[in-house]
Amino acid sequence: MKPWYELIRPKQDIVDGTGLDIGAFAVQLDLVAKGDTATPAIYLDPEQFYANTVLTAGMVEITKQVKDRLSGKAGEGSVINLNTSFGGGKTHTLVHLYHLFNAGEDARPWIRSGTLDDLDSRIGSDPIPTARVITWVG
C-alpha cells in the first residue's frame, strides 16, 4: 500500500505551512448551529466547509442512514454510534449532517461534483430532506 502522501496532495497552505490555524480543527457543533461568530468560518459557512471537506466512505454511509431515517424508510435504528479516538472525524461528520439536512436540496451546490456523484449513488438522487436540527451539550 502506498503512503497517503503519494496518493493525495494536501491543500497548498498545508504544504507551505502558512495560514494554518490549529485552533480551526477544534469545533463545537452547538456553536455551529447557533451561528456563533467565534466559530471558525470554515465550519460556520457551509460553502467553505464543503470546499474543504472530502466525504469519506464512512461519512457517506452515515449520511445514507440519516437520509433514510428522515425519509421514513425503515431499516437502520435511529441511533448511530460514532466511536473514534480524538481527531477521528466525529464532530466533522456531525457538522456535515447539520449543514446537509438543515439546508436539504439547497446544499447540492456546496458539495463538490465528484463527491456529490458518490453521495447520490449511495443515498439516491431523490431530494435531500430538510430537517429541523437540534444540538445539545451533554
Side-chain angles (χ1 to χ4, degrees):
M1 177 190 287
K2 291 184 178 183
W4 69 268
Y5 53 83
E6 289 182 15
L7 299 172
I8 62 168
R9 174 162 173 75
K11 290 176 39 199
Q12 194 60 44
D13 60 337
I14 302 293
V15 172
D16 295 341
T18 60
L20 180 61
D21 175 12
I22 205 70
F25 295 107
V27 65
Q28 293 176 275
L29 180 63
D30 63 314
L31 298 181
V32 171
K34 287 179 188 174
D36 188 305
T37 57
T39 302
I42 197 167
Y43 293 106
L44 203 55
D45 174 32
E47 285 188 69
Q48 282 189 50
F49 176 78
Y50 284 108
N52 290 281
T53 297
V54 175
L55 298 181
T56 65
M59 290 171 79
V60 171
E61 181 56 33
I62 288 170
T63 304
K64 179 186 181 322
Q65 291 176 23
V66 173
K67 184 221 176 229
D68 285 351
R69 189 71 178 178
L70 290 174
S71 299
K73 295 180 182 172
E76 301 289 331
S78 59
V79 175
I80 299 170
N81 182 22
L82 300 178
N83 186 10
T84 66
S85 61
F86 179 78
K90 297 176 295 292
T91 304
H92 202 87
T93 298
L94 293 173
V95 171
H96 153 65
L97 294 172
Y98 170 78
H99 285 314
L100 183 69
F101 294 113
N102 191 49
E105 274 300 297
D106 291 341
R108 283 189 186 273
W110 304 329
I111 303 170
R112 297 177 195 184
S113 62
T115 302
L116 184 58
D117 294 342
D118 291 343
L119 192 58
D120 274 347
S121 72
R122 290 290 291 135
I123 70 170
S125 57
D126 43 313
I128 299 170
T130 303
R132 292 183 60 201
V133 180
I134 63 166
T135 64
W136 72 91
V137 178

